[in-house]
Amino acid sequence: MVGDKPMSEITRDDARVVHKYWLDRIAPEKGRADRSASTGNRNMGNLRTLYADYFRHLGFPEQKNPFADLSFADKSKRSRPPPDRLDSRQDICAWRACDTQ
């Protein structure tokens, strides 16, 4: 993508190239996505952490992180229906009954 560079030479433009790479996989202009937004966010987060930890280790914790604020919105939020309260109470009562035996 951006080549083999020393950490100190990674720029915001390099980070944007990586972001664009993931964006093309998450939301391609044609065809289906082969990765999810959460996968892209996890990878961008790993790069953010690696960069920050590297410079913190060298004694430069204030080093500006080129991967900061680059993420993807997850439009496919899955929601779980709330549990049925009656079933939950029955499960708790059954669990307590087993606990006392």
Side-chain angles (χ1 to χ4, degrees), residues 7 9-11 16-19 22 25-26 28 31 39 41 43 46 50 58 61-62 64 72 82 85 88 95 98 101:
M7 293 285 277
E9 293 179 14
I10 295 174
T11 66
R16 285 189 184 124
V17 168
V18 176
H19 185 264
W22 281 106
R25 298 188 78 183
I26 292 165
T39 298
N41 284 329
N43 279 279
N46 288 344
L50 175 67
L58 292 180
E62 69 283 347
K64 190 167 175 111
F72 307 97
R85 288 185 72 186
S88 298
W95 175 72
C98 290
Q101 294 178 0

Side-chain angles (χ1 to χ4, degrees), residues 19-71:
H19 185 264
K20 175 76 168 98
Y21 166 81
W22 281 106
L23 182 60
D24 290 344
R25 298 188 78 183
I26 292 165
E29 291 183 24
K30 294 182 181 179
R32 293 179 51 127
D34 66 350
R35 295 292 185 264
S36 67
S38 68
T39 298
N41 284 329
R42 184 173 57 247
N43 279 279
M44 294 302 292
N46 288 344
L47 291 170
R48 258 190 307 277
T49 300
L50 175 67
Y51 192 91
D53 288 350
Y54 174 80
F55 282 100
R56 189 175 307 113
H57 174 74
L58 292 180
F60 302 105
E62 69 283 347
Q63 179 73 23
K64 190 167 175 111
N65 193 325
F67 298 97
D69 302 322
L70 293 176
S71 62

